[in-house]
Amino acid sequence: MSETTPHLKLPFLAAAQAQKHVTHNEALALVDLVVQLCVVSNSVSTPPADPVEGGRYIVPTAATGAFAGQESKIAAFDAGIWRFLAPVEGWAAWVQSLGAMQVFSGGSWIGFSSVTGLGVDSVTGGAAFQQEKTVLSESAHGAQSQFVTADELITVSGGLTESSLVIPSRAIVFCVSVRVVEAVTGVSSYDCGVAGESSKFGGGLGIAAGSSNAGVIGPTAYYVDTPVRMTANTGDFTGGKVRLSLHYFLPVVPQN
């Protein structure tokens, strides 16, 4: 038999164990830290200089100091020291700095929503995009009102590059946003749009790493699956990577 419980990793009392109160109190302390989990923040990369007893944080990437190497774990200040608790699939936490719930799924903390499948990069064959859907409401017969946010990292090349990620048929789009992850080369700028409307979501966009744009539009319905395209200005793309995000509403018809 394991020495701890499978989910919260609470220690078991051993048969004929001396000082049983030590193990029992340790289990109570762990229950107090992880049940009804509420963390201060998921973006504090350096431990606070004067932490509050019982304060908990989700450790972000590239953390430093005592948080270094503890990415995605729960950092809890307990009895004057930092303890790091490894979450398991399905743990949920209220994040005070966000005013929102997050859930641990697939090895990372994500918005409290359902995660759909990954798309495939046509060049590398690897996973290229991920989308999350939030069900705003649902009828007794399975009809849903969903809001979807979907990401894809695109390597641009040639005169234009189309996304593998598509705006699905019957979606109502509010925004297509972009961020240059790796500087775009060979062009002076680029446009983001769809076939026939090359700059629908932004024209003359910056090419330096970190450049971004939120291409907000009036709600627009699409009736066929539609890829987004990056169009080069004054030349062809010779390199660079752009993260593309779709923001849209999607109705789901009754299921019975």
Side-chain angles (χ1 to χ4, degrees):
M1 182 172 122
S2 171
E3 296 180 351
T4 62
T5 61
H7 300 298
L8 297 183
K9 306 303 179 185
L10 306 179
F12 285 119
L13 293 173
Q17 175 183 327
Q19 294 188 310
K20 289 182 171 61
H21 68 281
V22 175
T23 302
H24 178 69
N25 288 344
E26 168 68 4
L28 290 178
L30 287 170
V31 168
D32 188 62
L33 289 174
V34 299
V35 173
Q36 299 292 345
L37 184 58
C38 175
V39 300
V40 176
S41 176
N42 64 344
S43 59
V44 174
S45 59
T46 302
D50 189 19
V52 175
E53 180 70 14
R56 293 161 294 179
Y57 299 80
I58 294 173
V59 180
T61 57
T64 60
F67 286 3
Q70 305 293 342
E71 178 182 342
S72 295
K73 291 183 180 179
I74 303 297
F77 195 70
D78 179 51
I81 63 170
W82 287 106
R83 303 181 65 170
F84 297 95
L85 310 173
V88 298
E89 187 78 11
W91 276 29
W94 177 257
V95 183
Q96 290 177 288
S97 62
L98 296 177
M101 292 291 293
Q102 289 204 325
V103 64
F104 187 76
S105 178
S108 62
W109 290 91
I110 60 174
F112 201 71
S113 57
S114 301
V115 181
T116 66
L118 295 174
V120 177
D121 188 314
S122 60
V123 176
T124 67
F129 60 83
Q130 177 176 304
Q131 59 184 10
E132 294 184 17
K133 63 181 179 182
T134 299
V135 178
L136 304 177
S137 61
E138 183 174 9
S139 78
H141 299 284
Q144 292 182 349
S145 297
Q146 299 180 356
F147 198 88
V148 181
T149 305
D151 283 341
E152 180 181 8
L153 183 62
I154 297 173
T155 300
V156 293
S157 63
L160 66 85
T161 301
E162 286 197 333
S163 63
S164 302
L165 186 63
V166 299
I167 300 169
S169 176
R170 284 0 188 226
I172 300 174
V173 177
F174 293 88
C175 177
V176 174
S177 59
V178 291
R179 174 175 290 275
V180 177
V181 175
E182 183 179 293
V184 175
T185 56
V187 299
S188 59
S189 64
Y190 70 97
D191 297 341
C192 178
V194 294
E197 298 178 280
S198 63
S199 60
K200 185 173 184 66
F201 306 114
L205 301 179
I207 59 175
S211 298
S212 62
N213 182 65
V216 177
I217 60 173
T220 301
Y222 285 80
Y223 297 98
V224 295
D225 290 350
T226 304
V228 177
R229 58 175 52 177
M230 312 292 182
T231 303
N233 291 328
T234 64
D236 287 344
F237 295 122
T238 58
K241 295 182 179 181
V242 177
R243 189 174 303 283
L244 168 76
S245 296
L246 307 183
H247 311 262
Y248 59 86
F249 172 85
L250 186 68
V252 176
V253 301
Q255 301 303 296
N256 57 60

